[in-house]
Every structure is written in C-alpha cells, then in structure tokens.
Amino acid sequence: MIQTILEQAVEQALPAVELGEPASYIPELGKVDKRQLGVCVRTLDGGRFCAGDAQVRFSIQSISKVISLAAALERCGFETVFSQVGMEPSGDAFNSLVRLETSESCPSNPMINSGAITVDSYLVPVISFEEMLAFTRALCMDEDICLDERVYRSEMSNISRNRAIAYLLENKGVIRSDVERTLEFYVRMCSLSVTAESLAGFGLVLANSGVVPGTGRRLLKAETARVVKTIMLTCGMYDGSGCFAVRVGIPSKSGVGGGILSVADRRMGIGIFGPALDRKGNSVAGVKVLETISARMNLHIFADQA
C-alpha cells in the first residue's frame, strides 16, 4: 500500500516541477535537472519504500541545520544553544538581515541562516568537520555521504550575504568564535551530498526519539529529538512554515538543494528530492508529494486517529 501511494504521489506531483526553478543563486545548484523528483519512506518496523529519483545524490543545504542543531544540543546543551538564538518563526526570508539590522534581538530560530550560523559558531570550538561528517552518516544511516567539493567551492564564491550576516552577528556580540572558521564550517555542512533515502533514514531516527530502529543504538537524547522536531514543525519550511503545517502537518525541514526531511513521529521518516523550488525556497513538487502522503496515510499531527 505504501509503495502504491508513493508512486501515485510522485506521478501526480510531477507536473508541478514546471512551476519552480533550481536555486541558481548558487551556480552549481542551478545546473541540476529540475524535472527530477523522488521520495523514500522508512518505517519503524524496517520497511523501506522508494519512488522516483530517491537514490539521486544532491546537496543537503539547509537540512544540515537540523544536524547542527542536534549536535549543538548534545555537545553544548539547551541553555547555551538558545541563549543567543530564539525559537520563533521569523516571517522573513531564510537569508534576511532585516530583523538583525532593526532590533537588538538575536536570530529568530536555528532554521534561518543567521540562527544556523550562530549554532555553528558554538560547534566550531568543540567538534571538527570530520566528526560532524561521521555524525551525519550515522544519523542518515548512509556511509556514502561526503562533501561535494564543487558545491562547496561554488557556495564559498557566492557567500557575500552570509558573510554580512555573520559579521553583523559578531558585531552584536552573538558570535564569539572565529567568523571565517564558522562560515567555512557552515558551508561545508550545507555542501554534503545526500539522497532522499538518506533523509528518510535521519527522519526515522528522529521518529524513534533518537534511536536507530533494529539496533537500539542511541544517537540523540530523547529530549534533543523532541526539541529538534518541534523547531522543524514551527520553523522548518522557511517563511512558508505556517501554511505547510496546516496543509501537511508533519515536522519537516527543507533545503534549497531540493530536499525535504520529514518526520511522522513513532511511525516513519520521509525523504524528498525535487530541485524545482517555489519562491520561498521549498521544493514545489516535493511539497505536493508530502500533501498526498500526509492525506493518504493520515499523518497530520492533528489528524483524527480513530
């Protein structure tokens, strides 16, 4: 049944790819074929179901913010992480400087660029990129995840806006680590190469409160998983998070590489790849796939479970 739902969801959503475009402001991402679309579901009982381009590798981009947040909560603790980063939806674009320029406030949440750069500034003194790569591979249950050097170089060559955000944060006293090291760490994390199946694996670990199903290996504290999923629900789809929560109702995090990580708590992890983006930076066809899956499988967190 799940396999049929996925195949139908991809088929129905495919025409929507014409409504979006890849993220061309990062030149390497702009080269991706926007007609690709794939989905993978991994269930707590060991099921694995894929449709479309679920094994195609792509750039994780902002979905790495979830990994960094989880690592920071584990290494630095809740109070430290949220001492300089809020927990509220911003209502602005993910790369906006507006609120940082016009108020004394810290970044609104860890899922926008300013918040994620701040979170990475906590991590730079305590964990190496190599350790973060190993952590990512474990969370996603994918040992083939690696740094996409072409995407990394492309993004580092077009980093002016994020550099402006980072130095503004330093000026405000929010970032206290080395700014350039923090930016390099942030871009490396965004440049990891994953698949929809990788993201489904990560979603499965989150759905199981931080434990790898089948092995019993705990990768995250239950409290870390709970905080991460809550932030994903309220802030994970950029400034389209509210509408997405109403229509789909699954904690999710998107990236401008076309990925979406979704968590149906205590049931399954879902990974999406669809590089054609809407104006908010979310996969236009991927969102439609999730709408279908949520409705057909009754996954909305406030759905009637009777």
Side-chain angles (χ1 to χ4, degrees):
M1 179 181 175
I2 293 178
Q3 184 64 42
T4 300
I5 291 173
L6 298 189
E7 291 172 359
Q8 292 175 348
V10 169
E11 182 180 3
Q12 292 167 11
L14 264 175
V17 301
E18 301 303 329
L19 303 176
E21 295 295 334
S24 58
Y25 70 92
I26 300 173
E28 197 64 30
L29 298 187
K31 299 175 183 178
V32 176
D33 180 1
K34 75 173 189 177
R35 293 168 294 183
Q36 296 176 105
L37 182 62
V39 58
C40 179
V41 165
R42 299 189 66 171
T43 59
L44 285 182
D45 62 3
R48 183 184 319 212
F49 309 90
C50 296
D53 300 302
Q55 275 78 41
V56 172
R57 292 212 167 261
F58 61 93
S59 180
I60 193 171
Q61 291 299 313
S62 282
I63 300 170
S64 67
K65 294 170 181 174
V66 182
I67 299 169
S68 291
L69 175 59
L73 288 168
E74 294 283 310
R75 291 291 187 110
C76 307
F78 180 91
E79 296 300 329
T80 296
V81 170
F82 290 106
S83 64
Q84 297 283 5
V85 180
M87 306 180 207
E88 304 298 333
S90 69
D92 298 316
F94 61 89
N95 60 355
S96 175
L97 290 88
V98 172
R99 291 177 186 266
L100 295 178
E101 292 176 323
T102 59
S103 74
E104 295 300 318
S105 65
C106 297
S108 298
N109 65 74
M111 298 294 106
I112 57 175
N113 290 15
S114 59
I117 290 169
T118 301
V119 169
D120 282 343
S121 77
Y122 303 147
L123 289 171
V124 163
V126 300
I127 191 170
S128 68
F129 171 71
E130 288 71 26
E131 289 173 307
M132 282 296 289
L133 176 57
F135 183 55
T136 301
R137 287 170 171 169
L139 286 172
C140 295
M141 294 182 270
D142 180 358
E143 288 299 315
D144 293 328
I145 292 174
C146 62
L147 177 69
D148 187 322
E149 293 283 354
R150 291 178 302 176
V151 172
Y152 172 70
R153 289 193 298 269
S154 182
E155 197 158 349
M156 287 298 292
S157 298
N158 293 271
I159 199 176
S160 298
R161 191 171 188 87
N162 282 332
R163 180 169 278 122
I165 289 172
Y167 277 102
L168 180 56
L169 290 168
E170 182 196 43
N171 180 258
K172 290 165 65 71
V174 174
I175 285 183
R176 297 185 176 90
S177 300
D178 181 85
V179 173
E180 292 301 322
R181 281 185 64 204
T182 298
L183 284 169
E184 181 182 355
F185 187 95
Y186 171 80
V187 175
R188 283 182 179 274
M189 288 301 298
C190 287
S191 302
L192 296 178
S193 180
V194 296
T195 66
E197 189 169 343
S198 310
L199 298 183
F202 184 17
L204 183 61
V205 171
L206 290 173
N208 201 36
S209 298
V211 176
V212 179
T215 70
R217 181 187 179 193
R218 179 167 290 282
L219 298 176
L220 302 173
K221 298 183 184 74
E223 174 69 5
T224 296
R226 183 185 67 80
V227 172
V228 165
K229 287 181 284 191
T230 306
I231 296 292
M232 287 169 63
L233 179 66
T234 58
C235 308
M237 300 295 286
Y238 303 129
D239 50 326
S241 296
C243 180
F244 182 87
V246 171
R247 291 182 174 275
V248 181
I250 310 171
S252 299
K253 180 69 191 91
S254 62
V256 296
I260 305 177
L261 158 71
S262 298
V263 183
D265 210 29
R266 296 180 295 277
R267 295 179 65 179
M268 64 186 68
I270 306 169
I272 299 280
F273 171 51
L277 308 180
D278 62 21
R279 292 183 179 180
K280 297 182 184 297
N282 298 318
S283 172
V284 61
V287 169
K288 290 187 176 298
V289 169
L290 283 168
E291 286 182 7
T292 299
I293 292 173
S294 179
R296 295 279 301 275
M297 297 187 191
N298 203 35
L299 298 180
H300 196 294
I301 60 169
F302 298 119
D304 184 359
Q305 300 298 323

